[in-house]
């Protein structure tokens, strides 16, 4: 689901959401070299892998028989869609998913070398190598079974009051970053209205399913998923020692509690407006909102000191209070056993891992098979020790030349945006001045951090997977929480360097392009400018436009939540934005489910603005080059095909449904056709006629 916008607010919680998304939609597939995955890491040492080369404009991915004016996605991606069936361990398969999959073979080679030892290892090599080999050591993991949870389960059994729950929940929050957060979420965030400060935040949470809709919707599909969820929870409760009867009853209890908590959740659409999630309050006010929770004891055990904090979703804490005063203690114990096992499952024996896969990947997302273990382990190292792995990765695979070329494209697209802002007929001079100031304030992060994260306090030992994972996650949680009450630090990275994705952070006002995304087919040094500007140029424009989408526009150049728009300009923005959300809400995601155009608005605005800017930057770049037609495609046609091919995709219906509820990105087909049909530059390039499906009239346009 590439190209995200990232609110700094609730950074920790965002991180959790990111991990959940990754777990639900594994971006990898089984590859030919999967054999030997269950053996010890050192015995499967591969030679330095070579990535297969896919050009940024791939003729075999096209369907030249299709009419680009009727369905451009089919024209650009028809061949790809036909030739790239979804691998059995995937829930979807995309241009980016394939890139990430291939990239993992590079990471695996680095990790196997680091795990083998022998030659002296750097501190980073020791950590990533030993973590990887511990993760691959299935016999040791099997032998431990559920034992790594014993202390937690024992502590839950001894709970005699709500006050006793604080220690269990704090332990859970400190050590486990997973797909959710027992009872509620906690984190450190940049204060939305004072960008120099880092404050504490508590957020809605407490669910096992990916969204409140799964609990609250009443149509057949939601009911069916809830039934399967209850079966899954019962299966896991048995794994932690409940009898079948107790587990079945316990699972109903869990669904009941989580459903009540879900009713307190603010919707994803409402959360897009940062005013809705900013409620800086005193600690005393939070205690008044949910007096039954032992806040002081909980915060002490989390190591958090503060006078006030952001309560992102106040309604949630009212709902939580109601549950704390009505749910019997024994039911809370069942709930906590489930939540603890839920977060720990990926790091435990096969019984837990398989149950977890069966529900979250198979039932919810449609995958048929588990990823081979080595791919899961590569992914875990990247998530838990991302900059240790990233440092080794960029030394070998990233060049300063790539950084310089990317930066050049960024500068051209920034210049295109400045010219665009200044030429807008609908925006007043006052707002334009502020918009340009914000544009000039954008920081560009390309490739990797200047200063690397110091993992020296993280203990990693070969042979202790659960210990390594909780140590690494605990380090990350404490690192975030330690920022509370301190001045904001700029310059850190929130995507690891090997990540095949990019983002914009409206509170930092920065765009982030990790090394992993700056390779073919997204960025292809061997190819002509047109497809590269359509693809990576479009992505750069997309991230930059996020600063001016429905959410990003509410933050100023310094990252403060402040309305810098005149009233008339703000209204005109909303009017133009509603053209886009109406357009996308008409698209079908799967079966009877429509795209939620209000949820995807920011991404859709960024896709459209981004491609318009990239097109202008490409015109500037090639003004004196007079590029030639190639492969029977004119240069401007090549630009659009390059863009379209960044979104080639196949997805299982389960994933399409999951994404329609949880993903702020539209389905790939509409990220292509929805955008180009709003661009007269496209209809001119392909000589499309008024009234054809790829020619919208009138077009939606903001930037
Ligand atoms: Zn985005």
């Amino acid at each position: 689901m590439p190209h995200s916008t990232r609110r700094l607010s609730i950074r920790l919680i965002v991180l959790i959401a990111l991990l959940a998304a990754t777990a639900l939609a594994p971006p990898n597939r089984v590859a030919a070299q999967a054999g030997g995955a269950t053996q010890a890491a050192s015995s499967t040492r591969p030679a330095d892998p070579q990535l297969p080369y896919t050009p940024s404009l791939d003729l075999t991915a096209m369907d030249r028989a299709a009419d680009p004016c009727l369905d451009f996605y089919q024209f650009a991606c028809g061949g790809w869609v036909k030739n790239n069936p979804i691998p059995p361990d995937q829930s979807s398969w995309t241009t980016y998913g394939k890139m990430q999959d291939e990239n993992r073979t590079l990471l695996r080679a680095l990790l196997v070398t680091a795990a083998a030892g022998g030659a002296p290892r750097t501190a980073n090599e020791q950590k990533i190598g030993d973590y990887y080999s511990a993760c691959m050591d299935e016999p040791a993991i099997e032998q431990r079974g559920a034992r790594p949870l014993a202390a937690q389960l024992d502590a839950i059994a001894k709970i005699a009051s709500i006050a006793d729950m604080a220690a269990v929940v704090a332990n859970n929050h400190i050590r486990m970053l997973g797909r959710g957060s027992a009872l509620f979420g906690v984190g450190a965030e940049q204060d939305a209205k004072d960008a120099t400060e880092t404050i504490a935040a508590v957020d809605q949470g407490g669910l096992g399913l990916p969204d409140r809709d799964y609990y609250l919707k009443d149509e057949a599909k939601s009911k069916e998923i809830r039934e399967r969820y209850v079966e899954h929870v019962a299966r896991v409760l048995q794994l932690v020692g409940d009898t079948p009867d107790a587990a079945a009853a316990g699972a109903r209890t869990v669904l009941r509690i989580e459903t009540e908590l879900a009713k307190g959740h603010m919707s994803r659409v409402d959360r897009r407006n940062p005013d809705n999630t900013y409620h800086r309050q005193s600690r005393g006010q939070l205690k008044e909102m949910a007096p039954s929770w032992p806040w002081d004891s909980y915060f002490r055990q989390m190591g958090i000191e503060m006078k006030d904090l952001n309560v992102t979703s106040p309604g949630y804490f009212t709902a939580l209070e109601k549950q704390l005063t009505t749910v019997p203690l024994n039911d809370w114990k069942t709930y906590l056993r489930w939540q603890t096992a839920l977060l720990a499952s990926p790091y435990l024996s096969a019984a837990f891992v398989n149950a977890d896969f069966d529900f979250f990947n198979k039932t919810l997302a449609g995958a048929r098979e588990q990823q081979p273990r080595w791919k899961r382990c590569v992914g875990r190292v990247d998530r838990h020790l991302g900059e240790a792995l990233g440092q080794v990765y960029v030394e070998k695979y990233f060049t300063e030349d790539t950084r310089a070329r990317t930066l050049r494209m960024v500068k051209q697209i920034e210049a295109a945006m400045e010219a665009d802002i200044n030429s807008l007929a609908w925006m007043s001079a006052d707002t334009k001045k502020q918009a340009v100031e914000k544009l000039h304030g954008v920081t560009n992060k390309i490739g990797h951090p200047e200063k690397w994260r110091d993992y020296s306090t993280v203990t990693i030992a070969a042979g202790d997977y659960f210990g390594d994972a909780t140590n690494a996650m605990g380090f990350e949680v404490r690192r975030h929480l330690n920022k509370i009450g301190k001045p904001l630090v700029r310059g850190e990275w929130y995507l690891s360097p090997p990540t095949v994705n990019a983002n914009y952070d409206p509170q930092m006002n920065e765009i982030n392009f990790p090394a992993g995304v700056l390779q073919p087919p997204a960025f292809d040094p061997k190819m002509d400018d047109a497809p590269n500007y359509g693809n990576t140029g479009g992505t750069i424009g997309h991230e930059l436009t996020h600063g001016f989408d429905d959410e990003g526009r509410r933050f100023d150049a310094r990252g403060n939540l402040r309305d810098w728009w005149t009233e008339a300009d703000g209204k005109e923005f909303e009017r133009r934005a509603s053209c886009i959300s109406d357009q996308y809400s008409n698209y079908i995601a799967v079966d009877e489910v429509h795209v939620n155009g209000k949820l995807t608005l920011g991404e859709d605005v960024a896709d459209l603005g981004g491609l318009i800017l990239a097109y202008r930057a490409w015109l500037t770049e090639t003004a004196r080059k007079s590029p030639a037609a190639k492969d029977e495609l004119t240069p401007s046609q090549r630009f659009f095909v390059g863009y379209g091919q960044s979104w080639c995709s196949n997805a299982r219906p389960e994933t399409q449904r999951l994404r329609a509820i949880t993903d702020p990105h539209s389905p790939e087909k509409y990220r292509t056709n929805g955008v180009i049909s709003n661009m007269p530059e496209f209809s001119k390039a392909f000589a499309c006629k008024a009234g054809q499906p790829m020619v919208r009239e009138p077009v939606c346009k903001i930037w």
Side-chain angles (χ1 to χ4, degrees):
M1 304 173 196
H3 314 171
S4 42
T5 179
R6 162 98 39 120
R7 288 269 308 289
L8 194 60
S9 90
I10 334 157
R11 190 163 259 161
L12 179 57
I13 292 154
V14 168
L15 187 61
I16 287 167
L18 183 76
L19 298 183
T22 312
L24 288 169
N28 307 304
R29 63 167 179 143
V30 177
Q33 62 272 46
T38 55
Q39 298 167 26
S42 55
S43 67
T44 58
R45 180 172 188 159
D48 256 9
Q50 293 290 315
L51 294 189
Y53 169 62
T54 309
S56 60
L57 194 161
D58 181 0
L59 296 173
T60 67
M62 297 176 68
D63 173 5
R64 313 250 343 208
D67 183 340
C69 300
L70 298 183
D71 181 352
F72 181 65
Y73 177 76
Q74 178 64 26
F75 179 76
C77 286
W80 194 101
V81 168
K82 195 160 140 253
N83 298 329
N84 287 275
I86 307 170
D89 70 337
Q90 296 297 317
S91 50
S92 67
W93 196 226
T94 62
T95 304
Y96 284 94
K98 214 170 159 178
M99 268 178 86
Q100 184 159 347
D101 191 65
E102 291 166 0
N103 203 41
R104 282 198 179 175
T105 61
L106 303 185
L107 298 173
R108 180 199 199 191
L110 298 175
L111 288 168
V112 169
T113 303
R121 298 187 291 179
T122 64
N124 276 343
E125 286 165 348
Q126 180 271 319
K127 289 197 165 50
I128 61 174
D130 287 351
Y131 185 111
Y132 182 71
S133 92
C135 179
M136 290 298 291
D137 189 354
E138 286 183 294
I141 294 165
E142 280 316 303
Q143 211 207 348
R144 287 197 180 90
R147 279 211 308 284
L149 291 185
Q152 274 280 75
L153 295 173
D154 197 40
I156 293 169
K158 287 185 179 136
I159 286 174
S161 67
I162 294 284
D164 288 347
M165 285 164 62
V168 169
V169 171
N171 193 315
N172 186 311
H173 287 174
I174 285 278
R175 299 201 313 164
M176 286 288 174
L177 284 170
R179 57 177 76 87
S181 190
L183 285 191
F184 55 88
V186 66
E189 65 177 34
Q190 185 177 341
D191 186 297
K193 294 198 173 171
D194 179 0
T196 63
E197 251 190 294
T198 309
I199 62 171
V202 288
D203 192 22
Q204 63 192 29
L207 310 183
L209 287 164
D211 189 89
R212 66 170 198 168
D213 277 8
Y214 282 95
Y215 298 90
L216 307 181
K217 277 189 154 177
D218 244 353
E219 96 292 355
K221 194 76 200 164
S222 299
K223 283 182 182 162
E224 182 199 325
I225 288 176
R226 285 199 288 276
E227 280 312 305
R228 303 290 295 275
Y229 179 60
V230 166
E231 288 164 21
H232 170 62
V233 175
R235 182 175 170 189
V236 172
L237 287 174
Q238 283 193 61
L239 291 176
V240 296
D242 287 14
T243 64
D245 284 351
R252 296 265 159 218
T253 298
V254 165
L255 181 67
R256 200 166 56 239
I257 293 175
E258 291 182 355
T259 302
E260 291 305 314
L261 296 177
K263 288 178 187 166
H265 270 233
M266 195 187 292
S267 75
R268 284 176 198 264
V269 169
D270 287 342
R271 285 168 71 89
R272 289 196 59 74
N273 182 343
D275 282 313
N276 290 343
T277 53
Y278 184 74
H279 309 277
R280 188 161 169 170
Q281 301 189 332
S282 72
R283 188 169 166 148
Q285 283 171 302
L286 173 65
K287 282 152 88 172
E288 277 169 31
M289 222 178 280
S292 299
W293 182 250
W295 291 107
D296 289 335
S297 148
Y298 166 78
F299 284 133
R300 194 168 53 248
Q301 294 180 75
M302 290 295 290
I304 302 175
E305 283 178 35
M306 77 343 220
K307 286 199 187 65
D308 51 10
L309 76 170
N310 185 20
V311 181
T312 56
S313 181
Y316 179 75
F317 290 91
T318 311
L320 176 63
E321 171 65 16
K322 200 170 149 210
Q323 294 308 298
L324 289 170
T325 54
T326 51
V327 171
L329 202 59
N330 256 335
D331 290 356
W332 281 123
K333 291 182 178 186
T334 304
Y335 168 82
L336 288 174
R337 276 204 309 283
W338 152 245
Q339 285 280 334
T340 301
L342 166 70
L343 299 181
S345 285
Y347 314 104
L348 296 172
S349 57
F352 287 91
V353 171
N354 294 343
D356 193 74
F357 169 80
D358 283 348
F359 182 74
F360 286 104
N361 298 67
K362 208 175 198 172
T363 303
L364 274 188
R368 308 273 159 86
E369 284 173 12
Q370 289 219 50
Q371 291 176 349
R373 185 147 190 111
W374 73 265
K375 289 193 179 180
R376 285 179 270 151
C377 289
V378 168
R380 299 269 156 68
V381 181
D382 185 36
R383 264 176 268 158
H384 293 163
L385 298 166
E387 289 196 12
L389 175 60
Q391 196 168 359
V392 178
Y393 172 78
V394 299
E395 271 167 22
K396 194 153 180 174
Y397 294 111
F398 188 68
T399 67
E400 281 310 309
D401 180 55
T402 301
R403 191 208 289 263
R405 290 177 68 160
T406 308
L407 194 58
R408 177 182 160 80
M409 217 188 276
V410 169
K411 293 291 169 202
Q412 287 171 334
I413 289 166
E414 284 176 350
M417 180 143 216
E418 183 164 351
D420 175 71
I421 291 169
N422 285 324
S423 71
L424 290 177
W426 61 269
M427 189 182 263
S428 70
D430 284 354
T431 308
K432 281 180 182 174
K433 188 164 163 275
Q434 303 255 357
V436 169
E437 191 186 316
K438 175 162 182 175
L439 179 64
H440 288 166
V442 173
T443 303
N444 299 307
K445 291 179 170 175
I446 295 163
H448 58 83
E450 299 301 320
K451 184 169 173 282
W452 293 95
R453 192 157 299 154
D454 175 6
Y455 291 100
S456 59
T457 59
V458 188
T459 304
I460 301 291
D464 182 11
Y465 180 40
F466 189 87
D468 290 347
T470 50
N471 284 347
M473 288 187 279
F475 165 77
E476 203 50 37
V477 174
R478 288 187 192 282
R479 198 177 68 77
H480 281 280
L481 297 181
N482 282 340
K483 296 174 180 179
I484 294 169
K486 302 199 178 93
L488 181 76
V489 178
R490 289 183 188 265
E492 284 188 348
W493 279 54
Y494 295 89
L495 296 177
S496 76
T499 303
V500 181
N501 206 339
N503 77 356
Y504 171 79
D505 184 327
Q507 286 184 267
M508 288 290 192
N509 195 21
E510 65 186 26
I511 63 175
N512 191 334
F513 277 76
V517 79
L518 297 172
Q519 45 186 341
F523 179 76
D524 181 359
K526 290 189 203 159
M527 196 47 74
D528 47 316
D529 288 320
N532 279 323
Y533 276 76
N535 190 327
T536 290
T539 308
I540 294 168
H542 171 106
E543 302 308 342
L544 210 52
T545 306
H546 269 317
F548 305 87
D549 71 16
D550 60 318
E551 185 183 48
R553 79 177 187 91
R554 298 174 192 275
F555 293 90
D556 68 14
R558 301 295 304 158
N560 284 312
L561 180 56
R562 177 175 71 80
D563 190 2
W564 47 269
W565 296 63
T566 66
E567 201 187 332
D569 291 338
K571 279 216 174 89
E572 183 59 17
F573 178 94
E574 302 285 346
R575 194 186 69 76
R576 288 170 176 267
S578 70
C579 175
I580 294 176
S581 60
D582 290 347
Q583 177 192 347
Y584 282 79
S585 291
N586 269 320
Y587 294 137
I588 300 284
V590 61
D591 299 334
E592 79 294 350
V593 184
H594 279 248
V595 174
N596 180 350
K598 289 201 165 77
L599 176 62
T600 60
L601 178 57
E603 298 299 332
D604 301 333
V605 168
D607 281 343
L608 177 58
L611 197 64
I612 291 172
L613 296 178
Y615 192 82
R616 291 185 189 161
W618 171 68
L619 288 181
T620 307
E621 171 68 17
T622 51
R624 283 192 301 270
K625 288 185 180 172
S626 48
K630 206 172 147 190
D631 311 318
E632 294 169 44
L633 292 166
T634 66
S636 54
Q637 289 174 341
R638 294 176 68 79
F639 172 92
F640 286 106
V641 173
Y643 174 72
Q645 291 194 344
S646 67
W647 299 125
C648 297
S649 157
N650 281 308
R652 298 196 199 281
E654 292 90 339
T655 284
Q656 291 168 357
R657 190 171 286 269
L658 173 70
R659 283 183 53 183
I661 297 171
T662 58
D663 191 350
H665 303 88
S666 299
E668 283 80 1
K669 180 178 177 177
Y670 307 127
R671 296 190 77 170
T672 309
N673 288 353
V675 169
I676 54 95
S677 60
N678 276 322
M679 287 180 68
E681 296 91 335
F682 170 83
S683 49
K684 191 167 161 230
F686 286 92
C688 300
K689 296 182 185 65
Q692 289 193 291
M694 296 297 106
V695 185
R696 285 174 54 82
E697 182 61 47
V699 297
C700 299
K701 186 174 185 308
I702 301 179
W703 304 105

